[in-house]
Amino acid sequence: MPTHTVSAFTTELNALTSDVLRMGGLTEAMIAEMATAFARGDQDLAARVIEADDEVDELESKLEREIMRLLALRQPVSRDLRGIIAALKVSNDLERIGDLAKNVCKRLIAMGDEHGNTGQKSVERMSKAVRLQLKAVLDAYATENAQEAIDVWLHDDEIDEHYNSMFR
């Protein structure tokens, strides 16, 4: 982010980016733990993933409040406005990723001992692909590298293929 005449604005924008990246780290961990819980049939780990979703939800709410405050008080334009809107959209997507990890863990708990090895390898492969893409997109966000973000988007079909093959 560029430096502004009002240094507090620069600090606020940096804090916004930091919170988005923290939220991204939490969702990355949720995906990894969800895959481990699924592979092992570990209901305790699944329960911890479900609990972790509360922190992701709280961070999204905090980010939304901060974004609305920045829009109202700072009236950003150009690059700053794009960065703030990107933070809003990214945080929304990260919250959704957390919800999906939570939902898999809820299903795992509901299945109980009937879990077996159903779809284990597929879930492992898909979660690995998702974690790699999530890491790549968070790196692109942190470095403001649009081309890296586009590259992730262009490879999204791989995850769609994993998803579709799991339900065939």
Side-chain angles (χ1 to χ4, degrees), residues 116-137:
N117 290 330
T118 308
Q120 182 177 337
K121 292 293 182 193
S122 296
V123 169
E124 287 176 25
R125 276 192 306 273
M126 186 169 165
S127 69
K128 182 178 180 182
V130 168
R131 286 192 323 267
L132 289 172
Q133 279 204 323
L134 182 55
K135 182 185 180 330
V137 82

Side-chain angles (χ1 to χ4, degrees), residues 7-62:
S7 64
F9 186 38
T10 302
T11 302
E12 292 166 339
L13 291 173
N14 290 338
L16 195 66
T17 299
S18 225
D19 283 345
V20 169
L21 294 173
R22 184 169 149 237
M23 190 177 178
L26 288 170
T27 56
E28 279 183 278
M30 286 177 71
I31 293 167
E33 290 174 352
M34 175 273 301
T36 300
F38 193 89
R40 296 179 185 162
D42 187 336
Q43 294 189 7
D44 291 334
L45 183 55
R48 289 196 298 272
V49 171
I50 292 167
E51 289 172 16
D53 186 56
D54 291 340
E55 188 175 356
V56 171
D57 292 347
E58 288 172 24
L59 261 174
E60 183 198 25
S61 293
K62 176 188 174 197

